Amino acid sequence: MCEVAMQKEPNKFASHGLSLIKGSFYADTQKVKNRPEFYKKFVPLKGLLLILASACFSASSLLCAQEASATGSGGEASALSAAEVVADDSVPLLLEGIWENSNRYVVFDTDYIASDNRAIPNIVLKTFYQWYDDRAAESPEYSAKNKRDRNNTTPANPERILLHFTPLTDELFTPEYKINVTQEDGDILTADGECSGAWDMQITYSGHKLGGKNTYHVPIAVIGNKLYLKFRVKAENSDSVDVSTVLDGSVNDVASKEAGYWLDAGNANGILVSPPVSSEELLSYLVADTAVYPVRYWVTDMEYDPEAKARLDDGDKSYYVPKHLLVGGLVYTCTLGRRTQIRNVQKTESLPQPYSMNSVLVEKHAVTEEDKPISYRVRTSTILVFGEPYLTLTDGTRTLEEIVQSANSRKKPARKPLFPPHGVLDFDWSIIEDPPKDYNRRMLDLGK
């Protein structure tokens, strides 16, 4: 068992983004079994720190009531107290490996650590229509160990990037990993089917970029072997399940895995060697029993207030959602100025297609009327993604050096001939021997 320390420093998470973690820590730190996709063994997960935080929104924080009752109660939804999980600056376990898309490779775990203990990633760009792999970002130690190509494409000194990860949701593992996540209330969380997690990845470049700064944020989410940049998160809502219905040993689902308020948590356009572009607008989704309400947020210079609420009315029903979001270091709002009323919401019947969610198993503990301890499990979701992933995990059969060497040793085939091969040239010599009477006409007309 690892020792869990309570850190007394003030909460610094406001500079990174919203957290939906409810006081979790890793209770089991024995060595993890090798992921089939990886080519390397993992080290035991280190102890984590717990920091009290206050910006945690869950489905239970949404107040749906009649207009009269909402007015009578003051229209305020209390935010749940929470605890932030802050790991050391090593790479999260689910991010270890070689990730790929059509134009790049990204390796978070280079085994080289900066002097301030932050991770140094590798980024390899597939340039020239994927005919050359350019090692664009890596650590100097990696360059010294692995000789670089010298040509007009590859710079002598690659970009040096530093990473810091702040959890946005719990990093959940399937049972074979034997890593449990335990919340303050005693609930034990595991991944159901596929591992999952979400982080705000803070990227620091070696020099100042556009705008005079060198640190940017790229929120990311992982479900299984897929990494997403556009995703939504919410707190797990297993507390909404009635205890009496799940005492037969089976796993009970929440009433709706989609139900709740899905906060838009991804605002970056890529994991890049150059500074990423952050979205000016975000779109969160309030999923109620009979409708889905898209809630638009936009960048603002307001001071971030995690307690501020905005109201959405639909007939005689009222819903309360966070007025401000802090995503990727930027503050977003869904209303103007001091207003609290959300206007012009075009409700729909369902979430946009296609979408997918992670699956979370929550082992809950309770006591019967006879003071007999019982436990049961609930299945819910905390991450929602749309469309295709930004990166996928490679099969792990080759190292990055092998991938780059194999790609750059290829020879591009010769260009196809302008005209298809036709064998012996068939030329009508009569044109020369007996030229037509109007031979002086334009050459382009000959042979017509």
Side-chain angles (χ1 to χ4, degrees):
M1 289 292 181
C2 64
E3 297 182 359
V4 180
M6 295 298 295
Q7 185 167 327
K8 298 182 181 180
E9 296 181 5
N11 180 21
K12 302 178 181 178
F13 190 67
S15 64
H16 296 89
L18 289 174
S19 174
L20 299 179
I21 300 174
K22 299 195 296 185
S24 306
F25 62 91
Y26 292 98
D28 190 342
T29 59
Q30 60 183 296
K31 285 192 175 182
V32 184
K33 295 181 179 180
N34 290 343
R35 289 183 68 179
E37 308 89 346
F38 290 179
Y39 63 88
K40 59 187 291 186
K41 293 183 178 180
F42 297 121
V43 297
L45 194 64
K46 298 179 180 179
L48 304 179
L49 302 178
L50 293 179
I51 302 178
L52 294 179
S54 61
C56 177
F57 300 101
S58 67
S60 61
S61 65
L62 296 175
L63 175 61
C64 173
Q66 303 295 329
E67 177 68 21
S69 62
T71 305
S73 62
E76 296 295 335
S78 60
L80 298 178
S81 60
E84 177 198 357
V85 177
V86 179
D88 58 13
D89 287 305
S90 60
V91 176
L93 191 59
L94 292 184
L95 293 179
E96 293 192 354
I98 302 175
W99 299 83
E100 176 187 19
N101 64 18
S102 61
N103 55 46
R104 71 192 59 230
Y105 292 98
V106 179
V107 186
F108 299 101
D109 52 324
T110 62
D111 293 329
Y112 297 101
I113 303 299
S115 58
D116 58 357
N117 292 326
R118 287 195 288 179
I120 303 177
N122 276 15
I123 298 180
V124 176
L125 304 179
K126 301 177 183 179
T127 57
F128 302 129
Y129 303 98
Q130 302 187 17
W131 276 101
Y132 183 79
D133 286 354
D134 176 20
R135 290 161 51 182
E138 60 193 25
S139 69
E141 294 82 3
Y142 184 89
S143 301
K145 183 178 178 181
N146 302 277
K147 186 178 179 180
R148 295 175 58 80
D149 293 340
R150 294 301 297 121
N151 52 48
N152 292 335
T153 298
T154 303
N157 298 314
E159 179 74 44
R160 184 173 182 266
I161 297 175
L162 301 179
L163 299 180
H164 173 76
F165 298 91
T166 300
L168 298 179
T169 66
D170 292 297
E171 184 179 12
L172 302 179
F173 302 88
T174 50
E176 59 266 23
Y177 283 86
K178 297 183 179 179
I179 297 180
N180 294 328
V181 175
T182 303
Q183 296 185 325
E184 286 182 331
D185 57 4
D187 292 351
I188 299 176
L189 274 61
T190 56
D192 180 28
E194 292 183 311
C195 301
S196 63
W199 303 265
D200 179 13
M201 184 171 64
Q202 181 176 304
I203 300 179
T204 302
Y205 296 94
S206 57
H208 290 284
K209 305 296 182 181
L210 294 177
K213 63 179 183 178
N214 65 346
T215 300
Y216 299 82
H217 294 264
V218 178
I220 57 177
V222 170
I223 299 179
N225 295 336
K226 300 177 181 179
L227 185 148
Y228 298 86
L229 296 182
K230 304 302 180 183
F231 62 98
R232 278 76 177 169
V233 295
K234 73 169 184 177
E236 59 91 4
N237 56 347
S238 60
D239 293 335
S240 63
V241 175
D242 189 359
V243 177
S244 63
T245 63
V246 290
L247 297 182
D248 56 356
S250 61
V251 177
N252 193 47
D253 290 341
V254 294
S256 171
K257 295 174 66 174
E258 290 86 355
Y261 193 54
W262 293 97
L263 301 172
D264 195 341
N267 66 343
N269 71 324
I271 303 173
L272 312 174
V273 180
S274 58
V277 177
S278 298
S279 302
E280 295 290 330
E281 295 184 357
L282 299 178
L283 194 62
S284 298
Y285 291 94
L286 171 60
V287 182
D289 294 336
T290 58
V292 175
Y293 303 90
V295 180
R296 185 176 70 93
Y297 289 81
W298 58 91
V299 175
T300 180
D301 57 359
M302 295 181 187
E303 182 179 354
Y304 174 65
D305 182 2
E307 302 297 330
K309 296 291 184 294
R311 189 182 68 191
L312 187 156
D313 294 330
D314 183 15
D316 57 351
K317 295 181 179 179
S318 295
Y319 303 91
Y320 291 87
V321 300
K323 178 178 178 178
H324 295 156
L325 296 183
L326 183 57
V327 179
L330 298 177
V331 179
Y332 296 80
T333 183
C334 60
T335 62
L336 294 172
R338 296 183 179 180
R339 297 178 183 177
T340 59
Q341 180 69 40
I342 301 176
R343 302 182 182 277
N344 303 322
V345 176
Q346 301 295 326
K347 68 178 181 179
T348 62
E349 295 181 355
S350 62
L351 290 167
Q353 297 287 344
Y355 69 87
S356 59
M357 297 179 291
N358 68 338
S359 185
V360 180
L361 285 180
V362 184
E363 181 180 337
K364 305 185 71 66
H365 302 273
V367 178
T368 63
E369 296 180 355
E370 294 79 16
D371 293 332
K372 180 181 178 181
I374 58 174
S375 63
Y376 58 98
R377 292 186 298 169
V378 178
R379 183 183 290 107
T380 183
S381 294
T382 58
I383 301 175
L384 170 69
V385 297
F386 295 100
E388 297 297 322
Y390 176 71
L391 296 170
T392 57
L393 190 66
T394 63
D395 58 12
T397 58
R398 297 187 298 170
T399 64
L400 185 64
E401 298 80 28
E402 294 172 340
I403 292 174
V404 172
Q405 183 178 4
S406 174
N408 293 348
S409 62
R410 295 174 298 169
K411 300 298 181 182
K412 193 171 183 179
R415 294 179 59 183
K416 294 183 178 181
L418 185 59
F419 300 103
H422 49 70
V424 179
L425 181 61
D426 184 11
F427 185 78
D428 186 2
W429 288 96
S430 64
I431 297 177
I432 297 176
E433 297 173 351
D434 186 15
K437 294 180 180 181
D438 55 347
Y439 67 90
N440 59 346
R441 65 179 178 175
R442 294 183 61 194
M443 298 296 293
L444 293 179
D445 293 335
L446 291 177
K448 289 187 177 179

